[in-house]
Amino acid sequence: MDRVVLRGLKARGHHGVFPREREEGQTFIVDLVLGLDTRPAAADDDLAKTVHYGIVAEEVVAVVEGEPVNLIETLAERIAQVCLKHDGVQQVEVCVHKPDAPITVPFDDVTVTITRSRV
């Protein structure tokens, strides 16, 4: 399976279990690995035969900016489902970063990574 990768999509969301997270919001970063067969698109040099990653990026940002959820696991699942709605996408790996998570010790990042497929 071929891969189309988007790294570092940034959006402000209001996800989290604490009131401050819901009120103030924070930046979330999303990495995507879309699994699909790119041969038909390459053979015909035709965007319609692959995934339009610009549209996927806009849809993912809309999910992050949209309805708040408690868990980044839930956010990752919603993002995966949006990606799988695109005809050519057979599999998706979603990594949601929460670099400003409310943790009381020094840290670089918190992530949740999921893989979902049509099968």
Side-chain angles (χ1 to χ4, degrees):
M1 193 173 307
D2 303 321
R3 299 179 303 156
V4 173
V5 180
L6 290 89
R7 298 241 186 261
L9 295 172
K10 293 180 183 163
R12 189 158 186 86
H14 294 266
H15 312 288
V17 296
F18 298 112
R20 182 175 176 198
E21 294 178 290
R22 291 295 182 108
E23 293 164 10
E24 295 177 16
Q26 59 192 293
T27 299
F28 293 84
I29 302 166
V30 178
D31 301 325
L32 301 173
V33 179
L34 306 171
L36 64 152
D37 183 357
T38 63
R39 288 175 293 192
D44 295 336
D45 198 27
D46 186 353
L47 176 61
K49 294 182 178 179
T50 187
V51 64
H52 191 311
Y53 52 79
I55 291 174
V56 172
E58 291 171 359
E59 292 172 351
V60 168
V61 165
V63 171
V64 175
E65 292 176 342
E67 181 185 348
V69 295
N70 289 332
L71 303 176
I72 58 175
E73 292 87 343
T74 306
L75 183 59
E77 185 66 36
R78 287 183 178 180
I79 291 168
Q81 295 310 313
V82 164
C83 294
L84 288 171
K85 287 183 181 177
H86 290 266
D87 288 337
V89 177
Q90 297 300 309
Q91 184 176 27
V92 62
E93 179 181 288
V94 178
C95 180
V96 176
H97 300 256
K98 189 175 180 180
D100 298 320
I103 297 175
T104 60
V105 298
F107 74 102
D108 290 328
D109 199 4
V110 171
T111 66
V112 167
T113 302
I114 65 169
T115 302
R116 299 292 183 266
S117 62
R118 291 182 184 274
V119 182

